[in-house]
């Protein structure tokens, strides 16, 4: 056997599944670039020394903020890539099952998976670090301007490159091990049928819905009734944990319960569009619920983070002036305090922007993967429905109904979480010296509007991709597909 046999099969597998692999590889490269940028900003001399001198007050706060940010990003990237890689692995199991039936043993399948992982890791590090070098130059210039620090020469950080390389090598090694273990526990015939196996909805739905509602209402009560800023800071993380747990419980169990309740309404359920949508959603809602809950939590994180850090930065001047009047500061003291404030709040705002971009990108990619993968799974069901009289227009209406439910639930829940979080977040803002409530509400509203626009644009993209996949398997002929215009 030629030594290039397995690498060639791995490359063919990537090309064959380009619809899934290309977004996955691009997202890996983008996240590697983001990790390098934040790790670079934590150690770059440009932010801390210029011509051998310390670059003003407050730079230790910048270093601490960026170091914490690089740790948060590393953990998030690992969790996110494990989540998105599961879509790829699930899609490839059928292909691996065919290889197994044709005579390949598990060692050969592991070799193909190894080369796929190696190619993905190589692309991620080369493209990611290349993009990271470019973005780090832009980020350094933007952060220096944001902190009102003088321009400085750009450098390449070997420490940041090393951190990025070690992180992604470790992640891809774990992904490979997970993939090998999943292949070793299944036979060839089982792998061939893996795409057709749906998840059973949980049996005792109300036993999960009730505690989910109790946790959510408890978290909302804490956020809405607290009046002490110090107590708000202490209880904030408790409320966050309660909201996360309740969101997962309600999306997993409550969505199934809602679908089953709607199915009992014959007038609503026995319509062509509702029948297909509800049947599909109920059949796989346990998995869908977990994914939708993750999207909701990420969306809420983006909104809260962007609104709070922007309010800190744009309200810093008012906070400084208020403290100066209260403490009767001398102008020379004001200069030092202003440098400290803007170094901390500016670095938090900049980190908030970077993390918001990263989380938003992850949210949109999760939506894309979710709909594309499920489009392949639903295509056979739509083909069956077409054989019994369902038209393409009916399919389109069914797809739109399902997409709207899937997309609007996380967005609506995130907006609700944000609304109830505002009193507690505002108390914390006051602890940091921010007193401009109008500014805080305006920034929050602008963040929600911008996020909703991007979210709706992603709805159009993924619904069209989903529908094209369904048409690929349901259309009787390519000519009929071209003649069909919705």
């Amino acid at each position: 056997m030629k030594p290039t046999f397995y690498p060639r099969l791995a490359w063919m597998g990537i090309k064959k599944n380009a619809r899934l692999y290309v977004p996955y590889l691009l997202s890996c490269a983008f996240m590697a670039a983001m990790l390098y940028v934040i790790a670079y900003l934590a150690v770059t001399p440009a932010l801390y020394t210029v011509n051998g001198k310390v670059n003003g007050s407050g730079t230790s706060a910048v270093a601490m903020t960026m170091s914490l940010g690089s740790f948060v990003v590393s953990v998030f990237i690992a969790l996110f890539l494990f989540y998105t890689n599961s879509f790829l692995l699930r899609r490839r199991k059928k292909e691996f099952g065919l290889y197994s039936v044709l005579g390949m043993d598990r060692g050969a399948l592991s070799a193909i998976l190894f080369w796929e992982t190696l190619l993905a890791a190589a692309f991620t590090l080369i493209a990611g670090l290349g993009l990271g070098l470019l973005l780090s130059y832009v980020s350094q210039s933007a952060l220096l301007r944001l902190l009102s620090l003088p321009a400085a020469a750009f450098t390449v950080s070997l420490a940041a490159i090393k951190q990025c390389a070690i992180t992604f090598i470790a992640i891809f090694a774990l992904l490979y091990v997970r993939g090998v273990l999943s292949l070793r526990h299944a036979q060839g015939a089982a792998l061939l049928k893996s795409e057709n196996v749906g998840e059973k909805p949980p049996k005792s739905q109300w036993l999960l819905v009730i505690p989910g509602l109790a946790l959510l209402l408890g978290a909302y009560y804490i956020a809405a009734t607290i009046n002490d800023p110090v107590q708000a800071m202490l209880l904030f993380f408790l409320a966050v944990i309660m909201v996360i747990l309740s969101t997962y419980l309600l999306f997993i169990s409550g969505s199934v319960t809602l679908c089953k309740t709607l199915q009992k309404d014959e007038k609503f359920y026995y319509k062509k569009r509702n029948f297909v949508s509800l049947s599909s959603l109920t059949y796989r809602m346990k998995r869908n619920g977990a994914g939708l809950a993750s999207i909701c939590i990420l969306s809420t994180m983006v909104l809260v983070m962007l609104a709070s850090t922007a309010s800190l930065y744009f309200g810093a001047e008012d906070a400084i002036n208020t403290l100066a009047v209260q403490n009767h500061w001398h102008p020379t003291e004001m200069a030092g305090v202003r440098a400290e404030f803007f170094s901390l709040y500016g670095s938090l705002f900049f980190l908030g922007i970077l993390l918001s971009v990263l989380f938003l990108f992850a949210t949109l990619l999760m939506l894309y993967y979710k709909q594309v993968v499920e489009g392949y799974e639903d295509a056979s069901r739509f083909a069956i429905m077409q054989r019994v009289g369902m038209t393409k227009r009916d399919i389109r209406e069914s797809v739109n109904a399902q997409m709207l439910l899937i997309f609007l639930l996380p967005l609506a829940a995130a907006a609700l979480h944000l609304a109830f979080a505002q009193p507690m977040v505002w108390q914390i803002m006051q602890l940091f010296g921010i007193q401009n409530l109008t500014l805080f509400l305006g920034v929050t509203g602008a963040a929600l509007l911008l996020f909703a626009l991007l979210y709706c644009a992603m709805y159009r993209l993924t619904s069209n991709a989903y529908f094209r996949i369904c048409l690929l398997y349901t259309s009787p002929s390519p000519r009929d597909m071209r003649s069909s215009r919705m």
Side-chain angles (χ1 to χ4, degrees):
M1 185 179 295
K2 294 182 179 181
T4 59
F5 178 70
Y6 292 129
R8 190 166 64 251
L9 280 181
W11 176 246
M12 289 173 58
I14 293 175
K15 289 176 62 178
K16 182 180 178 182
N17 296 277
R19 188 189 293 269
L20 295 176
Y21 254 108
V22 170
Y24 174 71
L25 293 175
L26 292 178
S27 66
C28 289
F30 175 74
M31 291 190 175
M34 294 296 288
L35 178 59
Y36 174 81
V37 168
I38 297 178
Y40 169 80
L41 294 176
V43 297
T44 176
L47 288 174
Y48 314 114
T49 59
V50 175
N51 298 324
K53 296 181 180 180
V54 177
N55 204 1
S57 304
T59 53
S60 59
V62 181
M64 179 186 67
T65 302
M66 294 302 167
S67 297
L68 178 62
S70 66
F71 173 76
V72 172
V73 168
S74 298
V75 174
F76 174 76
I77 288 174
L79 296 175
F80 176 74
L81 291 186
F82 265 81
Y83 180 83
T84 53
N85 182 260
S86 64
F87 289 109
L88 285 173
L89 190 60
R90 186 177 178 188
R91 180 68 181 162
R92 296 300 308 283
K93 278 185 177 181
K94 186 175 182 180
E95 184 178 333
F96 287 136
L98 179 60
Y99 288 150
S100 179
V101 170
L102 292 175
M104 280 192 179
D105 58 15
R106 288 171 182 167
L109 297 179
S110 299
I112 297 174
L113 189 61
F114 169 79
W115 281 103
E116 284 189 11
T117 306
L118 185 62
L119 290 173
F123 176 83
T124 296
L125 290 177
I126 294 173
L129 289 176
L131 179 61
L133 291 174
L134 176 63
L135 293 179
S136 63
Y137 173 77
V138 176
S139 298
Q140 175 181 299
S141 301
L143 186 55
L144 287 172
R145 183 179 294 273
L146 191 67
L147 301 180
S148 300
L149 295 176
F154 174 71
T155 60
V156 176
S157 172
L158 295 179
I161 292 176
K162 181 180 178 181
Q163 178 182 343
C164 187
I166 291 175
T167 299
F168 275 87
I169 289 173
I171 291 173
F172 278 106
L174 292 174
L175 290 175
Y176 171 71
V177 171
R178 198 265 298 268
V180 170
L181 292 176
S182 67
L183 293 178
R184 288 186 180 277
H185 290 299
Q187 301 296 325
L191 290 172
L192 280 172
K193 298 178 181 179
S194 60
E195 281 193 334
N196 298 323
V197 178
E199 292 190 23
K200 296 180 180 180
K203 295 180 180 180
S204 302
Q205 301 301 325
W206 288 108
L207 294 178
L208 297 177
V209 172
I210 293 173
L213 284 173
L215 285 171
L216 184 64
L217 293 176
Y220 284 173
Y221 178 79
I222 292 173
T225 58
I226 196 165
N227 294 316
D228 182 22
V230 176
Q231 192 177 10
M233 177 70 81
L234 295 175
L235 294 177
F236 179 75
F237 294 102
L238 174 62
V240 167
I241 293 173
M242 292 172 66
V243 167
I244 292 174
L245 291 176
S246 63
T247 300
Y248 276 98
L249 288 173
L250 291 176
F251 268 90
I252 293 172
S253 58
S255 55
V256 174
T257 304
L258 176 61
C259 287
K260 288 186 175 182
T261 302
L262 291 175
Q263 284 180 323
K264 294 178 181 179
D265 186 352
E266 296 183 359
K267 292 183 179 179
F268 178 84
Y269 181 53
Y270 290 108
K271 292 182 180 180
K272 288 182 291 187
R273 182 181 63 181
N274 298 335
F275 180 81
V276 176
S277 299
L278 280 175
S279 298
S280 177
L281 285 172
T282 305
Y283 184 71
R284 296 190 319 271
M285 190 49 75
K286 182 178 180 181
R287 184 178 70 245
N288 285 348
L292 294 177
S294 300
I295 293 168
C296 175
I297 295 301
L298 280 175
S299 302
T300 307
M301 289 172 62
V302 170
L303 293 170
V304 172
M305 185 186 312
L306 194 58
S308 58
T309 55
S311 297
L312 284 174
Y313 179 74
F314 292 111
E317 191 64 40
D318 289 341
I320 294 169
N321 293 332
T322 300
L323 291 174
V325 173
Q326 293 175 351
N327 296 281
H328 306 288
W329 283 337
H330 191 270
T332 55
E333 294 178 297
M334 285 281 292
V337 171
R338 181 173 282 105
E340 292 284 351
F341 263 76
F342 277 97
S343 294
L344 177 59
Y345 292 175
S347 59
L348 283 173
F349 179 44
F350 194 79
L351 181 61
I353 293 175
L354 292 179
L355 292 181
S356 296
V357 170
L358 183 64
F359 293 161
L360 177 62
F361 182 82
T363 300
L364 299 181
L365 191 66
M366 287 171 66
L367 289 168
Y368 174 82
Y369 267 122
K370 183 176 177 53
Q371 301 316 320
V372 169
V373 171
E374 291 180 359
Y376 285 112
E377 297 173 355
D378 286 343
S380 60
R381 299 184 182 94
F382 284 123
I384 294 173
M385 296 304 297
Q386 191 177 32
R387 292 190 189 102
V388 298
M390 190 174 183
T391 65
K392 294 176 187 177
R393 184 176 297 276
D394 295 331
I395 294 175
R396 182 72 176 189
E397 291 177 354
S398 176
V399 168
N400 285 334
Q402 186 173 345
M403 295 295 102
L404 280 172
L405 178 61
I406 288 174
F407 273 78
L408 290 181
L409 275 177
L411 180 61
L416 188 63
H417 290 343
L418 179 66
F420 276 93
Q422 290 310 290
M424 179 174 280
V425 176
W426 172 241
Q427 293 291 333
I428 297 174
M429 292 295 101
Q430 294 182 64
L431 194 63
F432 282 89
I434 306 301
Q435 303 295 329
N436 193 337
L437 179 59
T438 303
L439 172 66
F440 174 68
L441 295 177
V443 168
T444 302
L448 179 58
L449 178 61
L450 177 62
F451 183 83
L453 290 175
L454 293 173
Y455 198 88
C456 291
M458 195 61 186
Y459 163 73
R460 295 294 303 172
L461 175 65
T462 56
S463 62
N464 289 335
Y466 183 101
F467 184 60
R468 283 194 297 269
I469 293 171
C470 292
L471 275 184
L472 181 66
Y473 291 92
T474 57
S475 296
S477 67
R479 179 182 299 177
D480 185 54
M481 183 187 298
R482 288 193 297 269
S483 65
S484 177
R485 292 291 183 266
M486 295 309 207

